[in-house]
Amino acid sequence: MARDDELKYAGEFRIDECTIITHEGFEYSITDLIEVVNFYEDIYSATVSGSVIVKDTTNIAMNFPIIGQERLRLKILTPQTNPTRETSIDFTNSPLYIYKINLQEEVNQGSQVLSLEFASSEGLRNQTSRISQSYSGQPSEIVEKILRDENYLRSKKEFSIEPTANNVKIVFPNYKPFKCIRHLLNISNSAVANSSPSYLFYETAAGFNFKTFDGLCKEPVKFFFRENVASVLNERKVVDVRLNLETIVSYQIVTSKDTYRNLQNGMIASKLIEHDIYNKKLDLHKYDYLSNFDTDIHPDERGSPIIAAAEDLDTNKPITDSDAKLYVSSTASGYSFSEGENYPYQSDNRNQTLQRKKSRKIQFESGIALNVEVPGQTAIHAGDKIRLEIGAQSSLVQKDEDTLLTGNYIITQLRHTFSQSGDAKHSIVMRVAKDSKSGKAYGNSVQNINALYQDGGKSTTTSTDSDYYSATQAI
């Protein structure tokens, strides 16, 4: 007989608790009423969110009642021997907040379907508090203070921090906590990931995270997924379920190469004109994707750029030598507020953060991205580094793998779906992205450029007849 902690099939799950707590403190378990649970994680979102769809025959929305001010204790996990916060979705000690009844629809007489939307309690506290306070020190330390402060977010959850290298001194004028954290993201440089400014603040089922794209890329690969994994027998001569967990059910390419867009949004190159109002001078800072490629950290350690270094056919210059994106900023200079010694704080740090941070974010949004469906397991989180092995789709190449799509990726968005309607099944649909490709770099020279353009380049002038008259003159 199989144990509760033994995985019987890929996509198996267990709901240990799903309890609603009303605004008056009454508790009601809806575990047996659940049809579907959706749970969302996103590295661009400060909190997790989701929905619970229940089939109700007692009209709990009216009788309980549910008014959008309830708490939800939720614990779901893939069967395992030693479950931890990292390997399960466990919000029993930090209940979620039900803020909305999204759907209330009658199925038949005496039965209805309810969809309850939930999010982290820190999201509610962000809406109900504001910060009017000064801070000084490293941005990573300030973020933790805001997250833990009893007057603001009051979070007791795990917090994974990538330390910052710079010091700041800042006053927040009546801002909401998440807005303060977003500002700190924009002026931070990593102390451990090549001074990367690409900080993110997001929550997963395992807790909150303050990390850069480069820091995520430094992590080891946590999961492997392959196309068409054949059933393999283990030592007991039964199908190895864990290998089935590595199967890619389906995938879809969601981004295509768009050079116009990547020029306009500053991914390929940008210039920053900085006006120092204290020293009365202008500084020009240039950034481009190719020059910084070796400085940035990528999911594939031996990855190569996704654009070519070849000269443009029109300008005879690399595409990175462009004025397509221009930033203008003013600063009072970090040294202008101290007498006798260098001021240890930075006013805005934009010359070290703005261009690289913007480009890094867009590299993952507009680089190589896929939507991938895999069998579910609760140990996977947004921000994890995974490896996909995808077969070549052409008979013209003598390769088993697609060298563009195969490689390491960062999970940027993730949706767990736990369905108890019919056969119980847990599936994951995730957006994965990378900013480089496997294999050799694209060529950096173009042959016979002049032979491509053969037009004579003549101009002509359209002549008009002196007897021409307008329609109004004919009336």
Side-chain angles (χ1 to χ4, degrees), residues 154-178:
R154 305 197 305 277
S155 180
K156 302 295 190 295
K157 297 174 182 174
E158 296 291 325
F159 186 32
S160 181
I161 306 171
E162 182 179 324
T164 48
N166 56 310
N167 290 320
V168 297
K169 193 168 188 178
I170 193 167
V171 178
F172 293 120
N174 208 33
Y175 283 172
K176 291 181 179 180
F178 285 163

Side-chain angles (χ1 to χ4, degrees), residues 32 48 71 128 154 195 277 286 304 325 376 389 438 451 467:
D32 295 334
V48 297
R71 297 312 196 268
T128 57
R154 305 197 305 277
S195 299
I277 59 177
K286 294 183 178 182
S304 55
K325 185 65 176 179
E389 295 181 0
S438 303
D467 294 331

Side-chain angles (χ1 to χ4, degrees), residues 318-460:
I319 196 170
T320 53
D321 189 0
S322 165
D323 292 334
K325 185 65 176 179
L326 179 66
Y327 300 101
V328 179
S329 174
S330 62
T331 180
S333 180
Y335 299 101
S336 59
F337 300 101
S338 181
E339 295 182 3
E341 61 181 9
N342 289 342
Y343 190 64
Y345 305 109
Q346 296 168 333
S347 55
D348 53 26
N349 202 27
R350 287 196 173 185
N351 62 330
Q352 300 179 47
T353 59
L354 177 62
Q355 296 162 279
R356 188 177 171 193
K357 177 182 176 65
K358 294 275 189 180
S359 179
R360 291 296 283 149
K361 183 174 184 290
I362 299 165
Q363 287 168 29
F364 281 88
E365 291 178 348
S366 301
I368 301 172
L370 308 175
N371 281 342
V372 182
E373 182 180 355
V374 297
Q377 49 182 314
T378 51
I380 300 178
H381 302 292
D384 284 349
K385 182 177 172 180
I386 65 171
R387 182 169 182 81
L388 301 182
E389 295 181 0
I390 297 175
Q393 302 296 316
S394 173
S395 60
L396 300 178
V397 295
Q398 302 299 317
K399 295 181 180 179
D400 294 331
E401 292 184 346
D402 187 316
T403 56
L404 183 64
L405 300 182
T406 293
N408 298 339
Y409 290 80
I410 300 299
I411 301 174
T412 59
Q413 296 165 302
L414 179 148
R415 183 189 72 205
H416 293 275
T417 299
F418 305 91
S419 176
Q420 291 196 137
S421 180
D423 294 332
K425 181 183 178 183
H426 174 201
S427 62
I428 290 176
V429 175
M430 53 188 176
R431 174 74 58 85
V432 300
K434 61 178 181 175
D435 62 341
S436 59
K437 71 178 189 71
S438 303
K440 297 180 180 179
Y442 296 119
N444 59 4
S445 62
V446 177
Q447 304 297 325
N448 300 321
I449 293 178
N450 295 330
L452 294 176
Y453 293 96
Q454 299 296 329
D455 286 342
K458 295 180 180 179
S459 301
T460 60

Side-chain angles (χ1 to χ4, degrees), residues 14-284:
R14 193 174 76 221
I15 301 179
D16 282 0
E17 183 173 5
C18 188
T19 301
I20 295 177
I21 306 167
T22 69
H23 62 285
E24 296 177 327
F26 299 112
E27 299 186 10
Y28 185 74
S29 174
I30 60 171
T31 303
D32 295 334
L33 307 179
I34 292 174
E35 293 284 303
V36 178
V37 177
N38 291 302
F39 188 84
Y40 304 98
E41 297 177 356
D42 187 339
I43 64 171
Y44 304 117
S45 176
T47 62
V48 297
S49 61
S51 64
V52 179
I53 301 174
V54 299
K55 191 172 183 179
D56 175 32
T57 58
T58 58
N59 199 0
I60 59 173
M62 180 184 73
N63 295 327
F64 201 39
I66 297 175
I67 61 174
Q69 293 177 255
E70 291 72 35
R71 297 312 196 268
L72 178 70
R73 282 205 301 262
L74 180 67
K75 184 176 182 180
I76 308 177
L77 69 159
T78 301
Q80 54 193 284
T81 304
N82 297 306
T84 65
R85 185 66 187 268
E86 283 282 343
T87 61
S88 59
I89 297 174
D90 187 355
F91 288 86
T92 52
N93 295 323
S94 299
L96 300 155
Y97 187 79
I98 297 175
Y99 65 91
K100 181 180 179 181
I101 300 178
N102 192 46
L103 174 69
Q104 188 171 359
E105 185 177 286
E106 185 176 5
V107 178
N108 48 49
Q109 188 173 3
S111 177
Q112 64 177 344
V113 171
L114 285 178
S115 177
L116 309 176
E117 304 284 318
F118 62 78
S120 294
S121 295
E122 287 84 357
L124 173 68
R125 295 167 193 156
N126 176 67
Q127 297 295 332
T128 57
S129 62
R130 289 182 178 272
I131 298 178
S132 293
Q133 186 176 336
S134 64
Y135 293 92
S136 61
Q138 293 190 356
S140 55
E141 297 171 349
I142 298 173
V143 170
E144 185 172 18
K145 288 178 182 178
I146 294 173
L147 185 67
R148 303 298 190 197
D149 198 309
E150 289 294 322
N151 296 315
Y152 306 131
L153 297 178
R154 305 197 305 277
S155 180
K156 302 295 190 295
K157 297 174 182 174
E158 296 291 325
F159 186 32
S160 181
I161 306 171
E162 182 179 324
T164 48
N166 56 310
N167 290 320
V168 297
K169 193 168 188 178
I170 193 167
V171 178
F172 293 120
N174 208 33
Y175 283 172
K176 291 181 179 180
F178 285 163
K179 184 175 182 179
C180 298
I181 291 175
R182 284 196 301 271
H183 181 79
L184 292 166
L185 295 178
N186 291 332
I187 59 174
S188 299
N189 292 96
S190 174
V192 296
N194 294 355
S195 299
S196 173
S198 58
Y199 269 96
L200 303 157
F201 177 77
Y202 62 96
E203 184 188 11
T204 69
F208 284 96
N209 299 270
F210 182 73
K211 298 181 178 180
T212 62
F213 276 113
D214 300 74
L216 296 176
C217 292
K218 284 181 65 177
E219 296 291 328
V221 173
K222 292 186 177 181
F223 300 95
F224 294 81
F225 297 99
R226 304 171 179 86
E227 278 192 300
N228 304 319
V229 176
S231 296
V232 177
L233 300 182
N234 59 19
E235 64 275 6
R236 292 185 293 173
K237 305 303 180 183
V238 297
V239 174
D240 193 325
V241 177
R242 297 201 172 275
L243 280 180
N244 289 344
L245 287 174
E246 298 178 352
T247 302
I248 297 174
V249 177
S250 64
Y251 72 91
Q252 178 185 15
I253 301 173
V254 295
T255 59
S256 58
K257 298 177 177 63
D258 189 337
T259 301
Y260 276 8
R261 182 172 181 268
N262 293 337
L263 281 169
Q264 292 168 357
N265 59 27
M267 188 206 101
I268 294 176
S270 64
K271 292 182 179 179
L272 168 64
I273 298 176
E274 189 175 52
H275 178 208
D276 188 333
I277 59 177
Y278 184 83
N279 293 313
K280 297 181 177 61
K281 66 175 184 177
L282 294 176
D283 292 316
L284 177 64

